[in-house]
Amino acid sequence: MSLQVENLEKNMAKLTVEVTAEEFGKALTAAYKKNRSRFNIPGFRKGKAPQVMVEKYYGVGVLYEDAIQEALDQSYPDAAQESGLDIVSRPEIAIVQVEKGKPFIYTAEVAVKPEVTLGEYKGIEVERAKPEVTDEDIEAELKKVQDQNSRLVTVSDRPVQSGDEVTIDFEGMIDGEPFEGGKAEDYSLLIGSHSFIDTFEDQLIGKNAGESAEVEVTFPEEYHAAELAGKPATFHVLVKEIRAKELPELNDEFAGEVSEFETLDEYKADLRAKLAEKKQAQATAENEDNVLRKVVENATMDIPEPMIDQRIREMVDEYGSRLQSQGITLDQYLQFTGSSLDSLKEQMRPSAETRIRTRLVLEAVAKAEGIEATEEAVEKQISQMAENYKMEADKLKGLIGESGISQMKEDIACQEAIDFLVAEAKLI
């Protein structure tokens, strides 16, 4: 394999990789072995024809797609490492030459981690966050506990109100015809949750149990199902049951049921102490955020778009995993919210860029100040992780591997850089 590296504008680079004819021949053989069971050539049992006969009968091009992928998988990681570049995006591959008996040549356009020019980062002045606990905070916390200990009771003497949970049957129509996914029975819906499109929930307010309603809505222009996007629909809805939230009374009995305290006053005092601790932690985080925000604003860098796109893909994957842990897929979420993957990515773009800028600045500060993670800090973090996962530290360290340990060191150094910046800042 041979490699040429060309630096492009805006922190992009192009790698030109040449795989020898011999190595590409091996890739063709690997492609043949992978696919031979599907080749049917007269005179041979299916899957038993030799490679030369497959190439003669079908043409060697039948193997190119898998051979190219094999050659890329084998050569690109080595080319990326040999380039010496700090690559921060997936490669954009373009095939230059593919022919049996000749070198396989391709280009890989990649984003490179940008250089950061730090502005002022020591002695940054920010207004100090004040961790105050008010009576309103206590009342809000009590209301939250009330909600958590509420119960749903069936209502028959009034119509639907915002905040009710209703059981409904519904069927949607577009131009008088039902559409896929537009029908359900015994569906529980919280009025005011806005989990349904447009004003669907609002149009059920005022309806009584046993009453039907014609709900008129319009699907969003960016709805994930293209055949429904932007179209008006009519839903035939039957309100089968109305349930209202019944809150427990705030008294000593309530305090005794939800805590270890006998009186409401004692419970409130405990809530105040816990909220004070929580507010202090929030204030500390806010101070860090405000200092870091100013340091990032003072720095300059040119972030390549593919680097942002890569971070967005990672954020979408993380979001999908969180949804999955709650029993819902990303596709289902997009359907329920009337959104699309593209719109979700655009919503995430500002956050992705902010995260990249922040990380790059922290790495630059750590480098400028000689901040590095010590072995003791790494071992401490591994021990804490091992305790959380109920594993032996040495076994966990083996699973993490060298690359994981390296990433851990970078993360620790970045956190220490935050501590440094806050310690150097002037909180007024």
Side-chain angles (χ1 to χ4, degrees):
M1 181 194 78
S2 64
L3 171 68
Q4 291 182 342
V5 180
E6 178 185 357
N7 292 317
L8 306 176
E9 295 181 344
K10 297 183 178 179
N11 291 303
M12 298 293 293
K14 183 166 73 172
L15 313 183
T16 300
V17 184
E18 182 174 314
V19 178
T20 65
E22 180 183 358
E23 289 301 316
F24 187 61
K26 292 178 181 179
L28 283 169
T29 298
Y32 157 73
K33 290 178 179 179
K34 177 182 177 181
N35 294 284
R36 61 184 172 187
S37 62
R38 67 184 181 89
F39 295 126
N40 193 5
I41 297 177
F44 296 91
R45 283 185 296 158
K46 188 174 183 180
K48 297 298 181 179
Q51 182 178 345
V52 65
M53 293 303 299
V54 170
E55 293 177 0
K56 184 175 181 180
Y57 190 81
Y58 288 96
V60 68
V62 75
L63 301 175
Y64 278 171
E65 182 177 351
D66 286 316
I68 287 172
Q69 190 60 55
E70 176 74 15
L72 291 174
D73 291 342
Q74 293 297 322
S75 63
Y76 176 74
D78 291 338
Q81 184 174 5
E82 185 181 325
S83 73
L85 300 173
D86 196 345
I87 296 172
V88 291
S89 72
R90 295 177 181 177
E92 289 290 332
I93 302 294
I95 307 303
V96 177
Q97 176 175 287
V98 54
E99 185 177 345
K100 185 179 180 180
K102 293 184 179 181
F104 169 57
I105 305 173
Y106 66 92
T107 62
E109 196 164 310
V110 295
V112 180
K113 181 182 287 188
E115 291 291 329
V116 175
T117 302
L118 291 172
E120 182 182 2
Y121 66 92
K122 296 180 184 179
I124 295 294
E125 288 190 3
V126 297
E127 185 176 350
R128 183 188 299 273
K130 298 177 176 62
E132 299 178 358
V133 179
T134 65
D135 291 340
E136 288 76 15
D137 292 330
I138 302 299
E139 294 304 317
E141 193 66 22
L142 283 172
K143 180 66 169 62
K144 187 190 302 181
V145 179
Q146 263 188 308
D147 283 339
Q148 292 169 349
N149 289 272
S150 64
R151 65 190 185 101
L152 290 173
V153 295
T154 301
V155 174
S156 58
D157 59 348
R158 66 163 177 80
V160 175
Q161 296 178 358
S162 182
D164 288 342
E165 185 176 289
V166 297
T167 298
I168 59 174
D169 292 345
F170 63 83
E171 183 174 16
M173 301 280 182
I174 292 180
D175 296 329
E177 296 293 330
F179 56 90
E180 185 177 355
K183 182 178 181 179
E185 295 181 352
D186 294 327
Y187 190 93
S188 292
L189 176 63
L190 178 61
I191 304 299
S193 66
H194 303 295
S195 56
F196 269 35
I197 62 169
D198 205 4
T199 59
F200 187 101
E201 296 165 29
D202 297 337
Q203 295 180 59
L204 297 182
I205 293 176
K207 304 299 179 184
N208 291 292
E211 189 174 351
S212 296
E214 297 292 306
V215 175
E216 305 287 343
V217 295
T218 301
F219 283 93
E221 291 291 343
E222 294 186 351
Y223 196 64
H224 74 284
E227 68 275 12
L228 303 178
K231 292 186 178 179
T234 300
F235 281 85
H236 306 295
V237 184
L238 171 63
V239 179
K240 302 178 77 172
E241 185 181 20
I242 304 170
R243 294 178 299 282
K245 187 181 293 184
E246 187 178 81
L247 299 176
E249 187 178 349
L250 289 176
N251 52 26
D252 292 344
E253 182 181 353
F254 170 79
E257 290 177 352
V258 300
S259 72
E260 72 266 29
F261 302 101
E262 295 182 358
T263 68
L264 185 61
D265 287 341
E266 289 175 318
Y267 181 45
K268 284 184 177 181
D270 181 67
L271 285 178
R272 186 177 293 275
K274 289 177 178 176
L275 279 174
E277 186 177 336
K278 182 179 179 181
K279 290 261 187 174
Q280 181 59 57
Q282 290 174 341
T284 299
E286 187 176 341
N287 289 332
E288 289 182 357
D289 289 344
N290 291 338
V291 170
L292 192 50
R293 188 180 301 111
K294 278 201 170 184
V295 174
V296 173
E297 287 173 356
N298 292 341
T300 56
M301 68 204 80
D302 189 6
I303 302 175
E305 281 299 313
M307 187 178 185
I308 300 174
D309 293 337
Q310 174 72 17
R311 188 69 186 97
I312 291 172
R313 281 192 290 267
E314 293 168 357
M315 290 170 65
V316 169
D317 289 342
E318 292 166 4
Y319 191 57
S321 296
R322 289 199 300 272
L323 289 172
Q324 193 74 48
S325 69
Q326 299 169 17
I328 181 174
T329 67
L330 180 60
D331 286 342
Q332 288 172 327
Y333 167 80
L334 295 174
Q335 181 178 359
F336 294 156
T337 58
S339 185
S340 67
L341 185 58
D342 286 342
S343 64
L344 179 63
K345 286 181 177 180
E346 281 307 305
Q347 291 171 27
M348 291 181 170
R349 181 169 291 275
S351 178
E353 185 170 352
T354 297
R355 291 188 189 186
I356 292 171
R357 288 184 179 277
T358 301
R359 179 69 180 211
L360 290 174
V361 166
L362 287 174
E363 290 176 356
V365 170
K367 182 178 180 180
E369 296 297 327
I371 298 172
E372 295 182 351
T374 64
E375 291 300 325
E376 291 78 12
V378 173
E379 293 298 330
K380 181 180 179 181
Q381 185 158 325
I382 289 175
S383 296
Q384 290 174 342
M385 291 173 63
E387 186 176 344
N388 292 336
Y389 290 117
K390 303 188 185 306
M391 294 176 61
E392 294 180 4
D394 288 343
K395 185 176 181 181
L396 178 61
K397 193 172 183 178
L399 291 173
I400 292 173
E402 291 185 11
S403 62
I405 297 294
S406 178
Q407 182 64 53
M408 187 180 295
K409 287 181 178 179
E410 291 180 11
D411 293 343
I412 292 172
C414 285
Q415 182 56 55
E416 291 181 358
I418 294 175
D419 297 338
F420 169 82
L421 292 172
V422 174
E424 290 288 321
K426 297 175 182 177
L427 303 178
I428 57 177

